[in-house]
Amino acid sequence: MAMHTELWFPSVVWSAVIHHIDNRALKHWAYDRKRNDVGREISNYNGYQSSDILPGECAEIDLLVEHLNQEMKTCAKQVGLSDLMINNIWLNINPPGAYNHLHNHVGSVLSGVYYVEAGANQGNLQFERSDGAEYHIPEYVEQQTYYTSTRATYAAKTGALYIFPGWMKHSVQGNRSNTDRISISFNYGEA
């Protein structure tokens, strides 16, 4: 008789590439916003995080939110959640050398990031396992698997969208290029 396998407390990351957002227009708007907004410092080091973006401030952001709302319905349904609504959305501009410390999004059911402009050496998104498994997994394993990994890395690339549980610890590697990485981050919660 074969042993039955069940997955408990899985960490889910959804990913897609979006092609219908005008990233050039969004980039232009992002730099205008930065000039007129003091921003805030939450997890960023040497980067810019805007204050929350409100509906109607940018047509491309509104279009992105429409798309996110549909994606969130799908994600929530897949994991047995009811519909979620956007809590907040903000802009990130990380110049060369900037990065984001390890953090999570307290109060958010699902969070995510959309890359307006990003590429090689601009800092990938990294998820860190936070269940203490690193103290129990043998130092040497034949092959890294979803079960034995303690870190997952997702490429920063223009048009990429990543959605994940708000409680997942994550960071963004340092920007080692000579150009800015621009992204839009967001949180969704109970409707």
Side-chain angles (χ1 to χ4, degrees), residues 10 22 31 40-41 47 74 77 84 86-87 90 97 125-127 133 153 164 175 183 188:
D22 184 346
Y31 284 114
R40 59 187 176 199
E41 187 176 321
T74 301
K77 186 175 182 179
L84 302 173
I86 193 163
N87 289 345
W90 65 96
L125 175 62
Q126 290 191 310
F127 294 100
T153 302
F164 49 90
N175 183 349
S183 63
Y188 275 71

Side-chain angles (χ1 to χ4, degrees), residues 2-6:
M3 190 72 113
H4 179 72
T5 303
E6 294 179 339

Side-chain angles (χ1 to χ4, degrees), residues 21-40:
I21 301 295
D22 184 346
N23 287 319
R24 282 184 23 192
L26 200 44
K27 178 181 173 181
H28 180 76
W29 179 83
Y31 284 114
D32 282 347
R33 174 67 183 253
K34 183 180 176 189
R35 279 189 289 277
N36 298 306
D37 178 34
V38 294
R40 59 187 176 199

